[in-house]
PDB file of all heavy atoms in Angstrom:
ATOM      1  N   ALA C 225     -44.696  -9.605  34.537  1.00 88.00           N
ATOM      2  CA  ALA C 225     -45.357 -10.891  34.365  1.00 88.00           C
ATOM      3  C   ALA C 225     -45.491 -11.307  32.925  1.00 88.00           C
ATOM      4  O   ALA C 225     -45.644 -12.498  32.610  1.00 88.00           O
ATOM      5  CB  ALA C 225     -46.725 -10.865  35.031  1.00 88.00           C
ATOM      6  N   GLN C 227     -43.164 -10.729  30.631  1.00 85.00           N
ATOM      7  CA  GLN C 227     -41.825 -10.863  30.055  1.00 85.00           C
ATOM      8  C   GLN C 227     -41.345 -12.295  30.230  1.00 85.00           C
ATOM      9  O   GLN C 227     -41.906 -13.052  30.992  1.00 85.00           O
ATOM     10  CB  GLN C 227     -40.844  -9.914  30.767  1.00 85.00           C
ATOM     11  CG  GLN C 227     -41.198  -8.452  30.691  1.00 85.00           C
ATOM     12  CD  GLN C 227     -40.250  -7.583  31.474  1.00 85.00           C
ATOM     13  OE1 GLN C 227     -40.203  -6.387  31.275  1.00 85.00           O
ATOM     14  NE2 GLN C 227     -39.518  -8.174  32.401  1.00 85.00           N
ATOM     15  N   ALA C 228     -40.313 -12.648  29.479  1.00 86.00           N
ATOM     16  CA  ALA C 228     -39.722 -13.976  29.628  1.00 86.00           C
ATOM     17  C   ALA C 228     -38.202 -13.823  29.722  1.00 86.00           C
ATOM     18  O   ALA C 228     -37.597 -13.345  28.776  1.00 86.00           O
ATOM     19  CB  ALA C 228     -40.087 -14.854  28.437  1.00 86.00           C
ATOM     20  N   PRO C 229     -37.632 -14.238  30.861  1.00 90.00           N
ATOM     21  CA  PRO C 229     -38.305 -14.677  32.086  1.00 90.00           C
ATOM     22  C   PRO C 229     -38.897 -13.480  32.815  1.00 90.00           C
ATOM     23  O   PRO C 229     -38.464 -12.353  32.607  1.00 90.00           O
ATOM     24  CB  PRO C 229     -37.169 -15.318  32.886  1.00 90.00           C
ATOM     25  CG  PRO C 229     -35.931 -14.587  32.455  1.00 90.00           C
ATOM     26  CD  PRO C 229     -36.155 -14.286  30.979  1.00 90.00           C
ATOM     27  N   PRO C 230     -39.868 -13.713  33.680  1.00 91.00           N
ATOM     28  CA  PRO C 230     -40.544 -12.606  34.374  1.00 91.00           C
ATOM     29  C   PRO C 230     -39.712 -12.068  35.551  1.00 91.00           C
ATOM     30  O   PRO C 230     -40.053 -12.256  36.726  1.00 91.00           O
ATOM     31  CB  PRO C 230     -41.841 -13.257  34.846  1.00 91.00           C
ATOM     32  CG  PRO C 230     -41.522 -14.695  34.995  1.00 91.00           C
ATOM     33  CD  PRO C 230     -40.514 -14.996  33.935  1.00 91.00           C
ATOM     34  N   VAL C 231     -38.641 -11.383  35.204  1.00 93.00           N
ATOM     35  CA  VAL C 231     -37.737 -10.821  36.192  1.00 93.00           C
ATOM     36  C   VAL C 231     -37.638  -9.305  35.955  1.00 93.00           C
ATOM     37  O   VAL C 231     -37.346  -8.891  34.825  1.00 93.00           O
ATOM     38  CB  VAL C 231     -36.334 -11.454  36.094  1.00 93.00           C
ATOM     39  CG1 VAL C 231     -35.365 -10.816  37.083  1.00 93.00           C
ATOM     40  CG2 VAL C 231     -36.407 -12.961  36.303  1.00 93.00           C
ATOM     41  N   GLY C 347     -44.250 -24.297  26.371  1.00 91.00           N
ATOM     42  CA  GLY C 347     -42.920 -24.280  26.982  1.00 91.00           C
ATOM     43  C   GLY C 347     -41.844 -23.596  26.153  1.00 91.00           C
ATOM     44  O   GLY C 347     -40.664 -23.913  26.305  1.00 91.00           O
ATOM     45  N   ARG C 348     -42.237 -22.646  25.328  1.00 91.00           N
ATOM     46  CA  ARG C 348     -41.265 -22.024  24.433  1.00 91.00           C
ATOM     47  C   ARG C 348     -40.338 -21.050  25.174  1.00 91.00           C
ATOM     48  O   ARG C 348     -39.185 -20.871  24.788  1.00 91.00           O
ATOM     49  CB  ARG C 348     -41.993 -21.267  23.317  1.00 91.00           C
ATOM     50  CG  ARG C 348     -41.051 -20.520  22.385  1.00 91.00           C
ATOM     51  CD  ARG C 348     -41.786 -19.902  21.213  1.00 91.00           C
ATOM     52  NE  ARG C 348     -40.856 -19.151  20.378  1.00 91.00           N
ATOM     53  CZ  ARG C 348     -40.600 -17.863  20.502  1.00 91.00           C
ATOM     54  NH1 ARG C 348     -41.203 -17.149  21.452  1.00 91.00           N
ATOM     55  NH2 ARG C 348     -39.725 -17.244  19.711  1.00 91.00           N
ATOM     56  N   LEU C 349     -40.806 -20.418  26.245  1.00 88.00           N
ATOM     57  CA  LEU C 349     -40.067 -19.330  26.890  1.00 88.00           C
ATOM     58  C   LEU C 349     -39.600 -19.705  28.287  1.00 88.00           C
ATOM     59  O   LEU C 349     -40.254 -20.485  28.980  1.00 88.00           O
ATOM     60  CB  LEU C 349     -40.938 -18.082  26.954  1.00 88.00           C
ATOM     61  CG  LEU C 349     -41.484 -17.571  25.611  1.00 88.00           C
ATOM     62  CD1 LEU C 349     -42.497 -16.470  25.854  1.00 88.00           C
ATOM     63  CD2 LEU C 349     -40.339 -17.107  24.720  1.00 88.00           C
ATOM     64  N   PRO C 350     -38.462 -19.118  28.713  1.00 91.00           N
ATOM     65  CA  PRO C 350     -37.970 -19.424  30.061  1.00 91.00           C
ATOM     66  C   PRO C 350     -38.784 -18.724  31.130  1.00 91.00           C
ATOM     67  O   PRO C 350     -39.175 -17.568  31.003  1.00 91.00           O
ATOM     68  CB  PRO C 350     -36.541 -18.868  30.031  1.00 91.00           C
ATOM     69  CG  PRO C 350     -36.566 -17.783  29.013  1.00 91.00           C
ATOM     70  CD  PRO C 350     -37.532 -18.242  27.966  1.00 91.00           C
ATOM     71  N   GLY C 351     -39.097 -19.447  32.209  1.00 90.00           N
ATOM     72  CA  GLY C 351     -39.800 -18.876  33.347  1.00 90.00           C
ATOM     73  C   GLY C 351     -38.867 -18.791  34.528  1.00 90.00           C
ATOM     74  O   GLY C 351     -37.638 -18.695  34.372  1.00 90.00           O
ATOM     75  N   LEU C 352     -39.405 -18.836  35.725  1.00 90.00           N
ATOM     76  CA  LEU C 352     -38.606 -18.735  36.950  1.00 90.00           C
ATOM     77  C   LEU C 352     -38.236 -20.140  37.438  1.00 90.00           C
ATOM     78  O   LEU C 352     -38.985 -21.093  37.270  1.00 90.00           O
ATOM     79  CB  LEU C 352     -39.392 -17.992  38.021  1.00 90.00           C
ATOM     80  CG  LEU C 352     -39.742 -16.524  37.742  1.00 90.00           C
ATOM     81  CD1 LEU C 352     -40.628 -15.977  38.853  1.00 90.00           C
ATOM     82  CD2 LEU C 352     -38.463 -15.691  37.599  1.00 90.00           C
ATOM     83  N   ALA C 353     -37.078 -20.216  38.082  1.00 88.00           N
ATOM     84  CA  ALA C 353     -36.620 -21.454  38.751  1.00 88.00           C
ATOM     85  C   ALA C 353     -36.679 -22.666  37.830  1.00 88.00           C
ATOM     86  O   ALA C 353     -37.105 -23.756  38.227  1.00 88.00           O
ATOM     87  CB  ALA C 353     -37.460 -21.696  39.989  1.00 88.00           C
ATOM     88  N   GLY C 354     -36.238 -22.471  36.583  1.00 90.00           N
ATOM     89  CA  GLY C 354     -36.184 -23.600  35.652  1.00 90.00           C
ATOM     90  C   GLY C 354     -37.484 -23.968  34.993  1.00 90.00           C
ATOM     91  O   GLY C 354     -37.532 -24.949  34.222  1.00 90.00           O
ATOM     92  N   THR C 355     -38.540 -23.227  35.261  1.00 93.00           N
ATOM     93  CA  THR C 355     -39.823 -23.527  34.615  1.00 93.00           C
ATOM     94  C   THR C 355     -39.849 -22.992  33.193  1.00 93.00           C
ATOM     95  O   THR C 355     -38.996 -22.201  32.789  1.00 93.00           O
ATOM     96  CB  THR C 355     -40.990 -22.922  35.412  1.00 93.00           C
ATOM     97  OG1 THR C 355     -40.841 -21.494  35.442  1.00 93.00           O
ATOM     98  CG2 THR C 355     -40.992 -23.445  36.834  1.00 93.00           C
ATOM     99  N   ARG C 356     -40.867 -23.391  32.452  1.00 93.00           N
ATOM    100  CA  ARG C 356     -41.039 -22.911  31.078  1.00 93.00           C
ATOM    101  C   ARG C 356     -42.424 -22.315  30.929  1.00 93.00           C
ATOM    102  O   ARG C 356     -43.383 -22.734  31.592  1.00 93.00           O
ATOM    103  CB  ARG C 356     -40.879 -24.059  30.077  1.00 93.00           C
ATOM    104  CG  ARG C 356     -39.538 -24.788  30.144  1.00 93.00           C
ATOM    105  CD  ARG C 356     -38.386 -23.925  29.706  1.00 93.00           C
ATOM    106  NE  ARG C 356     -38.521 -23.503  28.309  1.00 93.00           N
ATOM    107  CZ  ARG C 356     -37.603 -22.725  27.696  1.00 93.00           C
ATOM    108  NH1 ARG C 356     -36.546 -22.292  28.355  1.00 93.00           N
ATOM    109  NH2 ARG C 356     -37.781 -22.384  26.434  1.00 93.00           N
ATOM    110  N   LEU C 357     -42.522 -21.303  30.032  1.00 91.00           N
ATOM    111  CA  LEU C 357     -43.795 -20.599  29.806  1.00 91.00           C
ATOM    112  C   LEU C 357     -44.294 -20.869  28.401  1.00 91.00           C
ATOM    113  O   LEU C 357     -43.512 -20.958  27.450  1.00 91.00           O
ATOM    114  CB  LEU C 357     -43.597 -19.095  29.995  1.00 91.00           C
ATOM    115  CG  LEU C 357     -43.038 -18.630  31.346  1.00 91.00           C
ATOM    116  CD1 LEU C 357     -42.780 -17.135  31.319  1.00 91.00           C
ATOM    117  CD2 LEU C 357     -44.001 -18.993  32.465  1.00 91.00           C
ATOM    118  N   ASP C 358     -45.619 -20.967  28.277  1.00 92.00           N
ATOM    119  CA  ASP C 358     -46.226 -21.087  26.944  1.00 92.00           C
ATOM    120  C   ASP C 358     -46.255 -19.728  26.262  1.00 92.00           C
ATOM    121  O   ASP C 358     -46.231 -18.676  26.898  1.00 92.00           O
ATOM    122  CB  ASP C 358     -47.653 -21.592  27.060  1.00 92.00           C
ATOM    123  CG  ASP C 358     -47.717 -23.025  27.611  1.00 92.00           C
ATOM    124  OD1 ASP C 358     -46.685 -23.715  27.584  1.00 92.00           O
ATOM    125  OD2 ASP C 358     -48.798 -23.437  28.063  1.00 92.00           O
TER     126      ASP C 358
END
Side-chain angles (χ1 to χ4, degrees):
Q227 300 176 163
V231 177
R348 177 175 178 267
L349 303 172
L352 296 175
T355 62
R356 302 293 298 181
L357 303 175
D358 295 343

